[in-house]
Amino acid sequence: MDVAKIQQHLQDNFETDLEDIRAFLRQPSISYTGEGIKETGEWIIRWIESLGGTARLVPVEGGYHPVVYGRIDSGAPRTLLIYGMYDIMPADEPGWIAPPFAAEIHDWEDQGPCIINRGSTNTKGPLMSFLTTLRAIIAVEGKLPVNLIFAIEGEEEYGSRSFHRFVADHLDELKDAEAMLFPMFGRDVDGTPAIRLGTKGPLYFELKCTGGDWGGPTTRGVHGSNNVWVASPVWRLINALSSMVDKDQRVTIDGFHDQVRKPTPEDIELCRTLAATRPPEIELRTHDVTRIKWDMDAFTAYITAQTQPQLNIDGIWGGYTGAGTKTLLPHEATVKMDIRMVPDMEPDATVELVRRHLDAHGYGDIEMKVINNYTWSKVSLKEPIVQALVETFRQMGQEPAIYPLNIGSAPFYVFDRMLKIPYVFGGMGHGARAHSSNEYISVPGILDFEKSMVHVIDNYLRLAAK
Amino acid sequence: MDVAKIQQHLQDNFETDLEDIRAFLRQPSISYTGEGIKETGEWIIRWIESLGGTARLVPVEGGYHPVVYGRIDSGAPRTLLIYGMYDIMPADEPGWIAPPFAAEIHDWEDQGPCIINRGSTNTKGPLMSFLTTLRAIIAVEGKLPVNLIFAIEGEEEYGSRSFHRFVADHLDELKDAEAMLFPMFGRDVDGTPAIRLGTKGPLYFELKCTGGDWGGPTTRGVHGSNNVWVASPVWRLINALSSMVDKDQRVTIDGFHDQVRKPTPEDIELCRTLAATRPPEIELRTHDVTRIKWDMDAFTAYITAQTQPQLNIDGIWGGYTGAGTKTLLPHEATVKMDIRMVPDMEPDATVELVRRHLDAHGYGDIEMKVINNYTWSKVSLKEPIVQALVETFRQMGQEPAIYPLNIGSAPFYVFDRMLKIPYVFGGMGHGARAHSSNEYISVPGILDFEKSMVHVIDNYLRLAAK
């Protein structure tokens, strides 16, 4: 590929790309309500077709919204899988400075001109910017130098509940892919691009304690004064929870740490570099956190965050939560929790750990309801598709921050475990405030992102050929 | 007084009384909204005036609704204070089988004909039935054999926040009273009438843990995956709470039990009788409780409920409490709690106990907000006004269940501590479902109640004269 010529073409035609991206962002595709899902899926299909490919909506049994499956066959020797998502969160939170589906351009904080729009960074902006990049490659080169398979899911914001089933049911249509690329705007607020070599696996569950044979009111809350001789399901849940952590919030679930893989030399090396170049304070500042857990030093903080599991309480509720002094002995209390599983913790065994801990501590009555549970995933820094992105950043003058893992979760195990292919997610470009008001993407960042995607494809073809 | 003749008069004129009571119940007097408060206060004033007394609405500085203060001076040697309330809860809960302000009469469960109406049992029904009783006494006797002072408050359902100030500001107008009577329908579902020799004092407070210098997100919830290196205010609150009870939910706040008075011989005797005649299972069954706390035997259960304090959790909340898997590390968590103070725990010292416990266990940052806090109150079984009611029940063929305390709270300390007079609350009659849909009172119970009030006054004058 003539990378320089394609990048010049992108620069010369940026206004057209920008308007195509803004038009796409103005089309809502709300996962929870289904609003605009079909129109958005068809929009992507038209784009793939306009690039010389074929595409269709593939419904998934038990799924909410179909996958856009497409192919662009260029007769090239290599094939990449492009993963993405076309659904977005609702935009009903307060505080928007512009309508959430108007794709207006405003100066945002110190980021210069930005498109303010729901889904702009997460992730319809990078998805459409990737398609406009392909258009530029074809315009300059006549065709793509690589075959592409697209699997763009429509229920990522619903927890990707059926994407693994799509993959299982369509292995034949995916098996040609040698690596996966998930185009994303990857630069942080301070400009550093990130590469994350995997994801933790989420075990999201509820624990519910209800009055019953052990005691407590069984069917409804009763007057609070009865607590003097009637036990409380709220106290019982609190006691059960407090058996799972020590005073410093270190997890004490029996066997919780047994399956955790010892940090590898690569983990240690990457965390050393992170600690030296990017103090955790930078990351925590964006969360308005003034003190890191356990007063860890920079290296310990990174190696902990990147290689250890957590036991988080996402929410807790029970009884009367309004104003004033209503007095109530509640009959139930519930907590939502998530464990982030790291290598080599596995989903079913982790559920078992929690269940067994509760039983062993006398809380066999506490109900455990698993809401989401899939495994972690890991890719090596040495993979050509990963190195292709690392080199891209360096070619564009940026040294990436490379993390052993994403401390959050994504169902990328479908790639490394089911399809057995390596993957990478990222790119130049900057966006932020996903799931919040005023989600935005930097306008100059879009062009950077487009240029970076040309590099990634070019680098990958070169590195994979070695 | 010619008790028999008055009771016959009540029986003969019951239809008139019933219609007067129903008319009064149809007039709403909602504490929270103020709807009908003024009209209801004036209604009571007209009644007191029609009985030959004087009355007025007395606003209280900082109060929500005025007190109806009235007097009926018969030139009698003795004076009783009639305490009551004319405000009621809203009636917006679902499930009413009849309009909540239509005073319709329906057969209710096994109670026979009942008036279904908000405020019927709590406590506009007994208030008006007491006034109709006075009318009958005057009709037969020409005048009342006792002077009456009325103090009927309008914000009981708001926590009686200013009633103690009314008493403090009007000691002169209340000082003639030698005892207080709070007319209430006092028979349980199974027909047993109850006498409670005091009330516990409520300390209702909130504890709130927010991220800060100790750690945690400080201004907003952040993505839950950050819990791996950012501490959690929810875990911190749970740890603080779990330091306040042991695994069996016994309170372990330092010094919590130090001020608790040893059960008196009267307490022990009364609880022995309760245990022998009224197994706790009867009381707990109405709350759908299948197992008593700590598997206590009947006597231990009663002596615990009647003489020991509690530490109840009325409600707890923090983080994400909706459906699905939103992952959040919350920046704050809050719990609403109430302690029921028994003799000799006092409000300020009890607040101090909680505060000092938190500080001593390293939770000085956890905010404690006191919402309601007043002291217990106690009256002796030997008081003439109490014995007057005990004898009343026996005269009417009922053996009352006599409790050392009400395990709930009411600001009756204004009577025994501020006015230094004994008091009693109760009477024949049955009503239930206060604060719930289909609040009701038994129609035959109203006549029983009226007859019982004649006995109470008659008995009191005789016993007090001894």
Side-chain angles (χ1 to χ4, degrees):
Chain A
M1 284 205 296
D2 189 336
V3 170
K5 196 171 167 191
I6 297 166
Q7 292 184 337
Q8 187 60 50
H9 182 91
L10 284 165
Q11 190 139 350
D12 295 344
N13 293 276
F14 184 61
E15 282 307 313
T16 307
D17 289 3
L18 182 62
E19 289 316 308
D20 283 338
I21 293 159
R22 293 174 74 192
F24 185 59
L25 293 178
R26 288 189 193 106
Q27 166 64 56
S29 53
I30 319 272
S31 208
Y32 290 179
T33 64
E35 181 192 347
I37 283 289
K38 186 160 176 289
E39 292 81 352
T40 306
E42 287 167 354
W43 196 309
I44 301 164
I45 289 172
R46 284 196 304 276
W47 261 87
I48 294 172
E49 289 171 348
S50 78
L51 297 169
T54 58
R56 69 182 201 274
L57 292 176
V58 182
V60 182
E61 201 190 337
Y64 298 105
H65 305 311
V67 175
V68 176
Y69 173 81
R71 302 188 73 119
I72 303 177
D73 277 312
S74 317
R78 302 216 162 263
T79 302
L80 279 178
L81 174 62
I82 307 302
Y83 166 79
M85 54 188 270
Y86 66 93
D87 62 323
I88 59 175
M89 295 290 282
D92 47 11
E93 59 280 288
W96 286 85
I97 62 158
F101 293 105
E104 288 182 10
I105 294 174
H106 295 266
D107 278 338
W108 180 263
E109 293 177 353
D110 53 355
Q111 298 296 328
C114 291
I115 302 176
I116 309 274
N117 209 90
R118 167 58 77 236
S120 54
T121 193
N122 182 24
T123 54
K124 282 162 78 181
L127 172 59
M128 186 49 65
S129 307
F130 184 76
L131 295 173
T132 56
T133 306
L134 297 180
R135 176 169 66 183
I137 295 173
I138 292 168
V140 171
E141 300 280 335
K143 63 174 186 174
L144 297 177
V146 64
N147 308 318
L148 297 180
I149 300 174
F150 293 86
I152 314 296
E153 68 163 316
E155 53 184 53
E156 201 277 346
E157 297 296 6
Y158 241 116
S160 300
R161 294 195 202 179
S162 63
F163 188 69
H164 65 284
R165 250 177 292 177
F166 165 81
V167 171
D169 293 348
H170 297 83
L171 285 175
D172 249 25
E173 296 174 274
L174 299 165
K175 69 171 174 1
D176 293 341
E178 294 153 301
M180 183 281 266
L181 169 65
F182 180 11
M184 287 180 77
F185 295 155
R187 298 180 76 181
D188 208 337
V189 255
D190 66 357
T192 308
I195 295 181
R196 302 179 201 272
L197 303 171
T199 70
K200 295 188 182 179
L203 166 55
Y204 197 105
F205 60 100
E206 288 180 3
L207 298 182
K208 184 173 178 175
C209 182
T210 309
D213 292 340
W214 63 268
T218 57
T219 56
R220 60 196 157 85
V222 302
H223 195 280
S225 60
N226 289 290
N227 180 238
V228 73
W229 61 355
V230 177
S232 161
V234 190
W235 275 124
R236 187 167 174 80
L237 183 63
I238 284 170
N239 278 339
L241 288 171
S242 77
S243 77
M244 296 183 175
V245 296
D246 68 11
K247 222 203 143 185
D248 295 328
Q249 308 191 10
R250 288 181 198 271
V251 182
T252 55
I253 292 176
D254 311 324
F256 190 73
H257 304 280
D258 292 358
Q259 301 306 316
V260 176
R261 187 189 291 177
K262 249 187 77 174
T264 63
E266 185 178 288
D267 293 336
I268 293 169
E269 184 53 37
L270 290 172
C271 288
R272 282 227 174 90
T273 306
L274 285 167
T277 56
R278 197 172 164 76
E281 288 70 26
I282 292 181
E283 310 224 359
L284 297 180
R285 205 171 45 211
T286 66
H287 298 308
D288 292 345
V289 168
T290 52
R291 187 171 191 161
I292 207 160
K293 213 171 177 178
W294 307 320
D295 293 328
M296 293 182 285
D297 64 36
F299 171 76
T300 311
Y302 272 114
I303 204 81
T304 300
Q306 295 290 315
T307 67
Q308 299 300 305
Q310 69 176 25
L311 176 67
N312 180 51
I313 295 182
D314 300 279
I316 186 168
W317 69 98
Y320 177 70
T321 58
T325 57
K326 179 165 173 174
T327 170
L328 189 75
L329 171 56
H331 76 295
E332 59 182 27
T334 312
V335 64
K336 284 173 115 79
M337 310 181 78
D338 73 277
I339 291 172
R340 301 275 167 176
M341 293 172 286
V342 296
D344 294 306
M345 297 172 81
E346 290 300 339
D348 290 350
T350 308
V351 171
E352 262 306 295
L353 281 182
V354 177
R355 182 71 265 170
R356 231 181 295 138
H357 177 94
L358 288 170
D359 294 348
H361 287 74
Y363 301 108
D365 58 291
I366 291 183
E367 189 193 338
M368 177 180 187
K369 183 173 148 199
V370 174
I371 307 184
N372 197 15
N373 193 22
Y374 60 77
T375 194
W376 53 270
S377 120
K378 195 87 179 81
V379 68
S380 164
L381 178 60
K382 298 186 185 73
E383 287 292 343
I385 190 67
V386 177
Q387 282 299 317
L389 185 59
V390 174
E391 281 199 20
T392 292
F393 290 133
R394 289 177 181 156
Q395 285 158 337
M396 295 182 74
Q398 297 294 326
E399 184 56 36
I402 305 176
Y403 298 84
L405 281 178
N406 173 18
I407 65 171
S409 307
F412 292 166
Y413 72 94
V414 300
F415 306 113
D416 60 335
R417 302 226 197 166
M418 293 174 70
L419 294 176
K420 301 184 197 315
I421 57 174
Y423 60 85
V424 79
F425 49 105
M428 292 286 277
H430 168 65
R433 301 186 63 89
H435 296 210
S436 296
S437 60
N438 304 314
E439 181 176 350
Y440 71 88
I441 49 176
S442 151
V443 172
I446 294 172
L447 182 58
D448 277 352
F449 171 82
E450 292 182 318
K451 290 178 177 173
S452 73
M453 289 298 107
V454 182
H455 276 306
V456 167
I457 293 171
D458 188 61
N459 290 341
Y460 173 69
L461 293 174
R462 181 168 36 78
L463 293 165
K466 274 184 189 169
Chain B
M1 284 205 294
D2 189 335
V3 170
K5 195 169 168 193
I6 298 166
Q7 291 184 337
Q8 187 60 50
H9 181 91
L10 284 165
Q11 192 139 344
D12 296 343
N13 294 276
F14 184 61
E15 282 307 313
T16 308
D17 289 2
L18 182 62
E19 289 316 308
D20 283 338
I21 292 159
R22 293 174 74 193
F24 185 59
L25 292 178
R26 289 189 191 105
Q27 165 64 56
S29 53
I30 318 270
S31 209
Y32 291 179
T33 64
E35 181 193 346
I37 283 289
K38 187 162 175 288
E39 293 81 350
T40 306
E42 288 167 353
W43 195 307
I44 301 163
I45 289 172
R46 283 197 304 276
W47 260 87
I48 294 173
E49 288 171 349
S50 77
L51 298 170
T54 59
R56 68 182 200 274
L57 292 176
V58 181
V60 182
E61 203 190 336
Y64 299 105
H65 304 312
V67 174
V68 175
Y69 173 81
R71 301 189 74 118
I72 302 177
D73 277 313
S74 318
R78 303 216 161 260
T79 303
L80 279 179
L81 174 62
I82 306 302
Y83 166 79
M85 55 189 269
Y86 66 93
D87 63 324
I88 58 175
M89 294 292 281
D92 48 10
E93 59 279 289
W96 286 85
I97 62 157
F101 293 105
E104 289 181 9
I105 294 174
H106 295 267
D107 277 339
W108 180 264
E109 292 176 355
D110 52 354
Q111 298 297 327
C114 292
I115 302 176
I116 308 272
N117 209 89
R118 167 57 77 239
S120 54
T121 192
N122 181 24
T123 53
K124 283 162 77 182
L127 172 59
M128 186 49 66
S129 308
F130 183 76
L131 295 174
T132 55
T133 306
L134 297 181
R135 177 169 64 185
I137 296 173
I138 292 168
V140 172
E141 300 281 333
K143 63 173 186 172
L144 297 177
V146 63
N147 307 318
L148 297 180
I149 301 174
F150 293 86
I152 314 296
E153 67 163 318
E155 54 183 53
E156 202 276 348
E157 297 296 5
Y158 241 116
S160 301
R161 293 194 202 180
S162 63
F163 189 69
H164 65 284
R165 249 175 294 176
F166 165 81
V167 172
D169 293 348
H170 298 83
L171 286 176
D172 250 25
E173 296 174 273
L174 300 165
K175 68 170 173 4
D176 293 342
E178 293 153 300
M180 183 282 265
L181 169 66
F182 180 10
M184 287 178 77
F185 295 155
R187 299 180 76 182
D188 208 338
V189 256
D190 66 356
T192 308
I195 295 181
R196 301 179 201 273
L197 302 171
T199 69
K200 296 188 182 180
L203 166 54
Y204 197 106
F205 60 100
E206 288 179 5
L207 299 182
K208 183 172 180 176
C209 183
T210 308
D213 292 340
W214 64 269
T218 58
T219 56
R220 62 197 155 85
V222 302
H223 194 281
S225 60
N226 289 291
N227 180 239
V228 72
W229 61 355
V230 178
S232 160
V234 190
W235 275 122
R236 188 167 174 80
L237 182 64
I238 284 170
N239 278 338
L241 289 171
S242 76
S243 76
M244 296 183 176
V245 296
D246 69 12
K247 221 201 144 188
D248 295 328
Q249 308 192 11
R250 289 181 197 271
V251 183
T252 55
I253 291 176
D254 310 324
F256 190 72
H257 304 280
D258 292 358
Q259 302 306 316
V260 176
R261 188 188 292 177
K262 251 188 74 174
T264 63
E266 185 178 288
D267 294 336
I268 293 168
E269 185 53 36
L270 290 171
C271 288
R272 281 226 175 90
T273 305
L274 285 166
T277 56
R278 197 174 165 75
E281 289 69 27
I282 293 181
E283 310 225 0
L284 298 179
R285 206 171 45 210
T286 66
H287 299 308
D288 293 345
V289 168
T290 51
R291 186 171 191 160
I292 207 159
K293 214 170 176 178
W294 307 321
D295 292 329
M296 292 182 288
D297 64 37
F299 170 75
T300 311
Y302 271 115
I303 203 81
T304 300
Q306 295 289 317
T307 67
Q308 299 300 304
Q310 69 176 26
L311 177 66
N312 179 51
I313 295 182
D314 300 279
I316 187 168
W317 69 99
Y320 178 69
T321 58
T325 58
K326 179 166 172 174
T327 169
L328 190 75
L329 170 56
H331 75 294
E332 59 183 27
T334 312
V335 64
K336 283 172 114 81
M337 311 182 77
D338 72 276
I339 291 172
R340 301 274 167 175
M341 293 172 288
V342 296
D344 295 306
M345 298 172 81
E346 289 301 336
D348 291 348
T350 309
V351 171
E352 262 307 294
L353 281 182
V354 177
R355 182 71 266 169
R356 232 181 294 136
H357 177 94
L358 288 170
D359 295 348
H361 286 74
Y363 301 108
D365 57 291
I366 291 183
E367 190 193 336
M368 177 180 188
K369 184 173 145 197
V370 174
I371 306 183
N372 198 15
N373 193 20
Y374 60 77
T375 195
W376 53 271
S377 117
K378 195 86 179 78
V379 68
S380 165
L381 179 60
K382 299 187 186 72
E383 287 293 344
I385 190 69
V386 176
Q387 282 299 319
L389 186 59
V390 173
E391 283 200 18
T392 293
F393 291 133
R394 290 177 180 155
Q395 285 158 337
M396 296 183 73
Q398 298 293 326
E399 185 57 36
I402 304 176
Y403 298 84
L405 281 178
N406 172 19
I407 65 170
S409 306
F412 292 166
Y413 72 93
V414 300
F415 305 114
D416 60 334
R417 301 227 197 166
M418 293 174 70
L419 294 176
K420 301 185 198 313
I421 57 175
Y423 61 85
V424 80
F425 49 106
M428 292 286 278
H430 169 65
R433 301 185 62 90
H435 296 212
S436 296
S437 60
N438 305 314
E439 181 176 350
Y440 71 88
I441 49 177
S442 151
V443 172
I446 294 172
L447 182 58
D448 277 350
F449 171 82
E450 292 182 319
K451 290 178 176 174
S452 73
M453 289 298 107
V454 181
H455 277 306
V456 166
I457 293 171
D458 187 60
N459 290 341
Y460 173 68
L461 293 174
R462 179 168 36 80
L463 293 165
K466 275 185 190 169

